[in-house]
Amino acid sequence: MNQSALLRPDWTPATVALMVLGFVVFWPLGLAMLAYIIFGDRLRGFKRDANNATDGFFAGCRRSHGRYRPHFSTGNVAFDDWRKAELDRIEEERRKLDEMREEFDTYMRELRRAKDQEEFDRFMRDRKNSKRNDNGPAAEYQTP
């Protein structure tokens, strides 16, 4: 018998024993087990309903979230036109800043690559020079 069958929300010997043990150890644990026995079969539906409600709420938040809402109107046409022009200008500035940031990131990647290549070349050059100066590692262990 697996664990889920032992602790199903029903009056089984295991659930009754856990309820009694819960009341003996700490009464809220026994009360929680009693609630699970009585209302446990409704928990799955409650969880599903709660998940659907929160999903619907956050989906509504995602739909209304944006940089600005162009369909929102104050009723003053001149103000709405000015606001739209300003938001378009700001959006253009944001686009330019994003392009500049991308160019800078590319520049920094290339700079790091060049520095890494220089360090690697220096390592290889030093390694090659040290092998020429030594007779190799086998020369250290030769006996006279």
Side-chain angles (χ1 to χ4, degrees):
M1 189 176 262
N2 60 18
Q3 185 178 10
S4 64
L6 285 174
L7 294 178
R8 65 182 182 273
D10 197 9
W11 293 98
T12 63
T15 56
V16 172
L18 283 174
M19 179 184 65
V20 170
L21 183 65
F23 276 117
V24 169
V25 172
F26 185 57
W27 69 267
L29 293 175
L31 196 60
M33 193 63 200
L34 178 63
Y36 175 72
I37 291 170
I38 295 172
F39 302 110
D41 55 344
R42 299 181 197 163
L43 287 178
R44 201 168 289 139
F46 174 75
K47 181 182 174 191
R48 184 186 61 243
D49 294 343
N51 284 340
N52 289 340
T54 54
D55 288 345
F57 174 75
F58 286 115
C61 290
R62 280 192 300 270
R63 279 192 300 270
S64 67
H65 181 69
R67 299 220 189 271
Y68 61 92
R69 295 183 288 175
H71 62 276
F72 179 73
S73 174
T74 61
N76 187 326
V77 177
F79 177 76
D80 290 342
D81 290 345
W82 172 81
R83 183 185 63 193
K84 183 178 179 337
E86 286 296 307
L87 290 173
D88 290 343
R89 182 186 61 79
I90 291 170
E91 192 63 33
E92 180 64 23
E93 288 293 320
R94 176 184 295 277
R95 188 187 59 74
K96 287 179 185 176
L97 286 172
D98 288 343
E99 287 175 1
M100 289 171 51
R101 188 198 67 222
E102 185 61 36
E103 288 174 10
F104 181 72
D105 289 346
T106 303
Y107 171 77
M108 290 303 293
R109 274 193 303 274
E110 291 302 318
L111 193 62
R112 279 189 218 106
R113 181 174 169 72
K115 182 181 176 189
D116 289 347
Q117 186 66 45
E118 178 187 336
E119 290 174 355
F120 177 73
D121 291 344
R122 186 172 5 138
F123 168 75
M124 292 302 284
R125 208 173 30 252
D126 292 346
R127 185 170 177 255
K128 188 177 180 181
N129 289 338
S130 68
K131 281 193 174 187
R132 283 184 185 165
N133 294 338
D134 295 340
N135 289 335
E140 295 175 5
Y141 299 111
Q142 291 178 352
T143 56

